[in-house]
Amino acid sequence: MIGEEEVLSSLRDIAGRRDPVPPNVLAAARASLAWRDPDAALAALTRDSLDRLIAVRGGIRGGTPRVLTFFSGALTIDVQVTARAGAVDVVGELAPVVAARVVVESPAGSHETAADDEGRFRIEGVAAGPVRLRCEPAVEGTFVPVRTEWVQL
């Protein structure tokens, strides 16, 4: 009689040959598990302008800006995302206004900048796909580091 492990092993083997997981899905899954700072607060997506649109599957198209708001309790992160030629530009604002390093992380790599004196930041040329933002205080003790949940851009 065949055991449960042998059946599961056979099914994994068949699925791997017939319908392998795409490399970009594997990269996104690995990136989502790379939580380097477990003490960081998680900022939840509280508003997405795409929810109000009849959207094309896969995200924003043709220069229509998408507005997202993330909230962590101590920090609100508002971002506007505009698509251009296979990449996206991210313009954002932190509230309250704080000095912070802002990083956009994706399976393709990270882009970072600093928020200006008014809490604004801009990052251009981010690869379209799953991303999250990370905000780290420039002054120790201002706020705990914040990471957003992953979103598809």
Side-chain angles (χ1 to χ4, degrees):
M1 182 166 221
I2 294 179
E4 185 177 318
E5 286 301 318
E6 290 85 12
V7 171
L8 290 176
S9 177
S10 295
L11 289 174
R12 274 191 296 272
D13 183 51
I14 292 168
R17 284 185 279 131
R18 293 283 189 170
D19 188 20
V21 177
N24 62 329
V25 173
L26 286 174
R30 286 186 184 106
S32 72
L33 296 174
W35 186 268
R36 292 183 196 88
D37 187 359
D39 294 330
L42 181 63
L45 179 63
T46 58
R47 190 182 85 136
D48 184 347
S49 64
L50 197 58
D51 290 343
R52 292 190 212 136
L53 302 173
I54 299 173
V56 176
R57 184 174 165 205
I60 57 178
R61 295 281 188 255
T64 302
R66 179 178 175 190
V67 179
L68 304 157
T69 299
F70 299 93
F71 180 69
S72 73
L75 188 67
T76 300
I77 307 165
D78 290 309
V79 295
Q80 177 178 303
V81 181
T82 306
R84 66 170 174 82
V88 295
D89 296 335
V90 178
V91 177
E93 184 174 46
L94 306 176
V97 174
V98 291
R101 187 180 94 156
V102 179
V103 181
V104 176
E105 299 175 329
S106 76
S110 297
H111 300 269
E112 70 177 75
T113 190
D116 67 15
D117 293 343
E118 296 180 10
R120 297 177 301 197
F121 60 91
R122 178 181 190 94
I123 298 176
E124 297 179 338
V126 176
V131 300
R132 70 176 171 190
L133 286 98
R134 185 175 78 230
C135 297
E136 299 171 349
V139 177
E140 193 72 26
T142 309
F143 65 94
V144 298
V146 173
R147 286 185 192 252
T148 67
E149 60 185 89
W150 288 89
V151 294
Q152 185 75 22
L153 300 180

